[in-house]
Amino acid sequence: MAVFTPVTPEQLAQFLQAYALGELVELQGISSGIENSNFFVTTRKDGVSTRQVLTLFERLSHEQLPFYLGMMHHLAHHGVACPDTIADRKGQVLQTLNGKPAALVTCLPGRANMHPVAAHCELVGQLLARMHLACQDYPGGLPNLRGLSWWNETAPRVLPFLSRSQAELLNSELRIQNEFAATAVYAALPKAPVHADLFRDNVLFDDSGSTPRLGGAIDFYFAGIDHLVFDLAVTANDWCIDDASGAFVPALLEAFLAGYCAVRMPLAAERDAWPLMQRAAALRFWMSRLFDFHLPRPAEMVTPKDPDHFERILRLRRTDPVLLPTLPAQAPRHAS
């Protein structure tokens, strides 16, 4: 999240006239992230104040956005803790503001925990599994726009900025991932709409008590149809690591996988693909951070992220892959 397209209180007040949310109380830009323009919007109706999140979409089109907004609505109505879309008086959730597609969604309680313990990781594993199961019957068909095709298209654009060692790493891993995509194991992997970006800053908790309480998942705008085990690897590569080295912390990884498997047991093919999917997840975010770092867009508020972090993770996953020894060779009947 960031602010690329500013919005004034006067513009927002006019925008809100289409909604039954009452009067505008406060508009606050959100600085975290690098994709869209995001704002906290507080309104008051009948003496009650409510906070929403307004997003102006900087890259996604009006044609693509129904997939993301519909996915959130689908999950919210299938018992998954995530924002729900807010419709205007005519029942529309997708609007236009300052020339950009725009939408309002509900604001979840809690805040991100950037230093999770095992209890947080277990809750995130359960959350991710519930999302995977709930999305099995979501009819949206948009592919992951930052998937393998994007990696192949983007590599030539970032290679000029890399050292020889980095270029060799990128080209080698990209070749391996393309070869893996042609295998029978890859073809056997189950796919569905996935979050594809469930990092620590995209899950909210209430940590005021003795044990954390889940607020929910946010920022679904990198979602798309992809392999469930890829989404599992994306999440593990952020939640279950030592930040300095990128190495998995066994207690965090075990708690995360235990939470996931308590809700959905991965298939045998997913266990076989796990080592390469850890690498694929690291490659995806190394490339996207290289792209955003070296080819940035101007923004009023933006928080750039360090590409070197995922380079370290990718190198580590290539030399020291972590297996899933606790998973059975055959998944139970409810796995999908």
Side-chain angles (χ1 to χ4, degrees):
M1 295 182 235
V3 173
F4 298 93
T5 302
V7 175
T8 67
E10 293 76 19
Q11 291 169 332
L12 181 58
Q14 183 175 358
F15 175 83
L16 291 174
Q17 290 179 5
Y19 293 83
L21 296 172
E23 63 178 346
L24 175 64
V25 175
E26 184 181 24
L27 168 65
Q28 178 185 353
I30 303 174
S31 62
S32 60
I34 55 175
E35 280 300 309
N36 301 308
S37 297
N38 292 272
F39 308 85
F40 288 125
V41 174
T42 303
T43 57
R44 182 182 296 117
K45 182 179 181 181
D46 299 329
V48 178
S49 295
T50 306
R51 178 182 259 194
Q52 295 84 208
V53 175
L54 168 68
T55 300
L56 275 64
F57 300 96
E58 303 292 341
R59 288 178 170 171
L60 297 171
S61 67
H62 277 89
E63 292 73 27
Q64 294 168 327
L65 281 164
F67 173 89
Y68 303 97
L69 299 174
M71 180 177 172
M72 281 191 290
H73 182 72
H74 179 88
L75 289 171
H77 287 260
H78 282 73
V80 176
C82 72
D84 198 0
T85 51
I86 300 173
D88 65 11
R89 290 187 177 91
K90 297 181 180 179
Q92 301 299 311
V93 298
L94 182 57
Q95 316 290 345
T96 300
L97 179 58
N98 288 353
K100 300 292 176 65
L104 281 169
V105 300
T106 57
C107 187
L108 299 182
R111 61 180 58 189
N113 188 316
M114 304 307 290
H115 304 284
V117 298
H120 296 99
C121 293
E122 183 176 4
L123 289 173
V124 171
Q126 294 170 5
L127 171 65
L128 186 67
R130 292 191 188 103
M131 291 167 57
H132 287 172
L133 292 178
C135 275
Q136 296 295 315
D137 60 352
Y138 177 58
L142 188 72
N144 180 1
L145 299 180
R146 289 287 177 101
L148 182 61
S149 296
W150 185 84
W151 309 345
N152 287 321
E153 294 167 3
T154 304
R157 301 185 64 183
V158 300
L159 279 170
F161 300 100
L162 305 185
S163 69
R164 176 175 294 183
S165 173
Q166 290 172 322
E168 290 174 351
L169 173 64
L170 190 153
N171 285 326
S172 171
E173 188 61 36
L174 192 57
R175 174 183 56 79
I176 290 169
Q177 293 296 334
N178 277 287
E179 291 174 352
F180 178 52
T183 65
V185 170
Y186 188 91
L189 298 174
K191 302 175 72 172
V194 298
H195 188 285
D197 190 30
L198 198 64
F199 281 28
R200 282 171 263 179
D201 56 354
N202 286 333
V203 181
L204 306 181
F205 295 95
D206 176 359
D207 285 310
S208 61
S210 58
T211 58
R213 297 174 59 186
L214 181 69
I218 61 173
D219 198 1
F220 282 75
Y221 304 117
F222 277 121
I225 306 295
D226 210 325
H227 300 103
L228 305 186
V229 68
F230 173 77
D231 204 27
L232 190 69
V234 166
T235 310
N237 270 350
D238 185 67
W239 281 91
C240 307
I241 65 167
D242 170 70
D243 285 332
S245 67
F248 281 128
V249 177
L252 299 183
L253 183 61
E254 289 171 9
F256 170 70
L257 293 174
Y260 187 90
C261 294
V263 178
R264 176 192 177 265
M265 185 64 72
L267 300 175
E270 293 175 290
R271 183 179 64 174
D272 294 339
W274 176 245
L276 274 170
M277 282 298 179
Q278 296 169 47
R279 293 164 55 169
L283 176 65
R284 176 263 187 262
F285 283 94
W286 183 39
M287 289 190 63
S288 64
R289 289 190 178 188
L290 285 169
F291 182 81
D292 292 330
F293 185 83
H294 293 292
L295 299 166
R297 295 169 294 156
E300 183 175 283
M301 300 168 63
V302 67
T303 306
K305 296 184 177 180
D306 178 18
D308 295 344
H309 175 68
F310 274 102
E311 180 187 348
R312 287 192 296 271
I313 292 177
L314 176 57
R315 291 186 185 277
L316 187 61
R317 299 294 181 268
R318 283 165 61 97
T319 59
D320 187 22
V322 175
L323 305 179
L324 295 178
T326 59
L327 297 187
Q330 297 297 324
R333 292 171 56 190
H334 66 270
S336 57

